[in-house]
Amino acid sequence: FKKLIKLNPNDIKSYYRLHRMGVKNFEIKYLEKLKYIEKNTNLNFQDKSLIYFIFSKNEKKEKNIENEIKFLNLAHKNHYEFKQEYYSKSIDYYNNFLFSHFNKINYVKNSEKLKYNEQIKPIFIIGLPRSGSTLVESLISNNNESFYSYGETSIFDIAIRNQIKNEPFDLKSKFAINENLLISFLNNIYNYSQDKNFVDKSLENFFYIDIILKVFPEAKFIHTFRNKFDALIGIYQSMLIFLPWAHNIENIIKYIENYEHIISYFKKKYPNKILDISLENFTVNPKEYSKKIYNFCDLKWSENILQFYKNKNLRSKSSSFLQIRNQINQYDTKKYEPYYFLFKNKKFN
């Protein structure tokens, strides 16, 4: 990225990606260059959002919370403007349509093939972003058995969303799934790996638990979570560019409230299929909780499991890709308290 910047000093994306590799890589001269570009260049919404995000991280480093939030707000506002039409529809889908229909699914063109493979025992990691899901994925992937991780591919989300064509979404319409189309889509993706078992860390799959179990009867779900107030701040500070609902405090709050309702429903419906893993508890006693995870996944645990950060083949495309290359640190319960003012006057219990 430094070479790219040298070739093109106005390439905002290279500055952003270099910054994502760690603040220590980001030299003062780059920050000064971005300040000049921001003042003297006619930028598009996307480049503005990336610059303001970098500015926010610099203010965070300087412990200037007021300016950090000011630049974060500008970053999210410009990123939303960049994809406004798509994001608006997607937020409607997740926060309204799916919430109203997650337990009212209709199946059409029923096929015996819907039971994709009753022998496969996949693990689906679900929950909110910034809640320890990448940590759990890394632990499972560090076993010595054949276990392939697809990461955050949103395979079910894409397959199902492609079948819902009634935009804007009518809350009175049926949530109808064509089973043959669904299986055809899954065949094209999940057959990529020849392994019998796999991990899918598409967090939004908590919406689709009924559908997933209809396809994979032996599937299990690991639900990672943390203090929801901390999760909200963590999401807002992360600039999750692929999540439409993550660029506005009100939308994040609504998504979290819907998630809490849905996960509670499915935990009651499938008590033996869902394992809760609290990030706070896990970091206090990683040995105990890693054993719980391995027992739940029917995997053999060993001491070296917790040394996943030493694995040179460890891969992650999530925003936690740097954190999982370090040892597990105990959760800081006070870390996000200075930011709680962001939802002081908002309805969020």
Side-chain angles (χ1 to χ4, degrees):
F1 293 126
K2 289 182 176 181
K3 290 180 180 179
L4 287 171
I5 291 170
K6 191 172 182 179
L7 288 170
N8 182 4
N10 291 334
D11 182 13
I12 306 303
K13 294 181 182 65
S14 291
Y15 289 102
Y16 172 72
R17 288 167 181 153
L18 175 64
H19 191 278
R20 289 261 299 170
M21 297 299 294
V23 176
K24 64 182 180 181
N25 301 314
F26 207 78
E27 301 172 24
I28 293 295
K29 64 179 181 181
Y30 295 143
L31 188 63
E32 294 304 317
K33 178 62 177 177
L34 288 179
K35 289 179 180 178
Y36 177 84
I37 293 173
E38 190 267 334
K39 287 183 179 180
N40 299 282
T41 309
N42 186 19
L43 299 168
N44 59 39
F45 286 124
Q46 184 182 36
D47 284 346
K48 283 183 181 179
S49 71
L50 300 181
I51 285 179
Y52 289 136
F53 181 72
I54 293 172
F55 288 175
S56 76
K57 290 302 180 184
N58 182 63
E59 296 295 340
K60 180 182 179 182
K61 182 182 176 184
E62 299 297 325
K63 302 187 183 303
N64 190 335
I65 293 178
E66 184 178 346
N67 278 346
E68 176 195 352
I69 298 303
K70 180 186 76 173
F71 284 120
L72 259 182
N73 290 340
L74 286 170
H76 285 296
K77 181 178 182 295
N78 279 277
H79 184 72
Y80 186 86
E81 291 288 337
F82 173 59
K83 293 186 174 182
Q84 184 173 9
E85 184 177 357
Y86 169 72
Y87 275 3
S88 177
K89 292 178 180 178
S90 294
I91 291 168
D92 186 26
Y93 175 71
Y94 292 113
N95 278 354
N96 295 316
F97 183 81
L98 268 188
F99 179 66
S100 300
H101 292 80
F102 73 93
N103 58 348
K104 303 171 186 174
I105 304 166
N106 296 279
Y107 296 95
V108 297
K109 295 188 178 180
N110 292 339
S111 169
E112 287 300 318
K113 291 191 300 181
L114 188 61
K115 289 188 177 180
Y116 185 74
N117 190 327
E118 294 186 359
Q119 304 305 313
I120 297 178
K121 299 180 180 180
I123 302 297
F124 292 87
I125 303 173
I126 57 176
L128 295 174
R130 316 299 297 139
S131 295
S133 59
T134 304
L135 173 60
V136 171
E137 178 194 30
S138 301
L139 282 171
I140 297 174
S141 299
N142 203 39
N143 73 84
N144 294 321
E145 301 178 40
S146 183
F147 227 105
Y148 183 83
S149 177
Y150 283 89
E152 297 183 42
T153 56
S154 298
I155 293 171
F156 271 90
D157 191 56
I158 294 170
I160 293 166
R161 177 76 181 270
N162 285 344
Q163 293 195 33
I164 310 298
K165 302 296 184 181
N166 54 330
E167 297 178 355
F169 301 102
D170 182 1
L171 297 185
K172 295 181 181 179
S173 64
K174 290 184 177 181
F175 188 1
I177 297 298
N178 183 311
E179 297 181 2
N180 291 333
L181 289 178
L182 178 62
I183 290 300
S184 176
F185 187 94
L186 296 178
N187 268 323
N188 289 332
I189 305 297
Y190 282 133
N191 275 349
Y192 175 76
S193 169
Q194 296 302 313
D195 298 286
K196 290 185 177 180
N197 296 319
F198 63 83
V199 179
D200 188 316
K201 196 179 81 73
S202 305
L203 299 178
E204 74 283 345
N205 276 334
F206 66 83
F207 284 111
Y208 307 121
I209 289 176
D210 268 337
I211 299 175
I212 291 173
L213 286 174
K214 195 170 178 65
V215 176
F216 296 110
E218 296 300 315
K220 292 182 178 180
F221 301 84
I222 299 178
H223 167 227
T224 61
F225 66 97
R226 74 197 294 187
N227 177 309
K228 67 180 180 181
F229 301 101
D230 292 359
L232 187 156
I233 302 302
I235 291 168
Y236 197 64
Q237 285 183 326
S238 298
M239 194 66 180
L240 304 174
I241 59 176
F242 298 111
L243 300 182
W245 52 270
H247 305 286
N248 173 283
I249 295 293
E250 286 78 7
N251 286 334
I252 298 174
I253 288 175
K254 186 170 184 180
Y255 187 92
I256 291 177
E257 290 176 340
N258 289 352
Y259 141 80
E260 289 182 322
H261 175 85
I262 293 170
I263 201 68
S264 177
Y265 170 87
F266 281 124
K267 282 165 62 176
K268 291 176 183 177
K269 186 173 182 178
Y270 303 113
N272 298 322
K273 287 286 188 179
I274 302 174
L275 175 68
D276 281 338
I277 295 293
S278 160
L279 179 60
E280 292 93 328
N281 292 341
F282 186 99
T283 59
V284 170
N285 196 336
K287 186 173 182 178
E288 175 187 343
Y289 280 87
S290 63
K291 284 182 176 180
K292 282 186 178 182
I293 292 169
Y294 264 62
N295 182 58
F296 182 73
C297 297
D298 297 321
L299 292 170
K300 185 178 179 180
W301 186 90
S302 64
E303 289 286 348
N304 69 346
I305 294 303
L306 292 173
Q307 298 180 4
F308 59 86
Y309 55 91
K310 295 181 180 180
N311 186 345
K312 292 183 179 180
N313 295 318
L314 184 64
R315 294 181 178 88
S316 174
K317 292 184 178 181
S318 77
S319 57
S320 301
F321 73 99
L322 288 176
Q323 290 173 290
I324 59 170
R325 283 160 174 79
N326 297 303
Q327 296 185 53
I328 299 172
N329 295 315
Q330 187 166 332
Y331 190 88
D332 183 355
T333 58
K334 304 292 185 180
K335 179 179 179 179
Y336 293 103
E337 283 188 0
Y339 299 93
Y340 284 3
F341 72 90
L342 284 174
F343 39 82
K344 183 178 180 180
N345 297 319
K346 303 181 190 301
K347 187 179 179 181
F348 189 43
N349 299 316

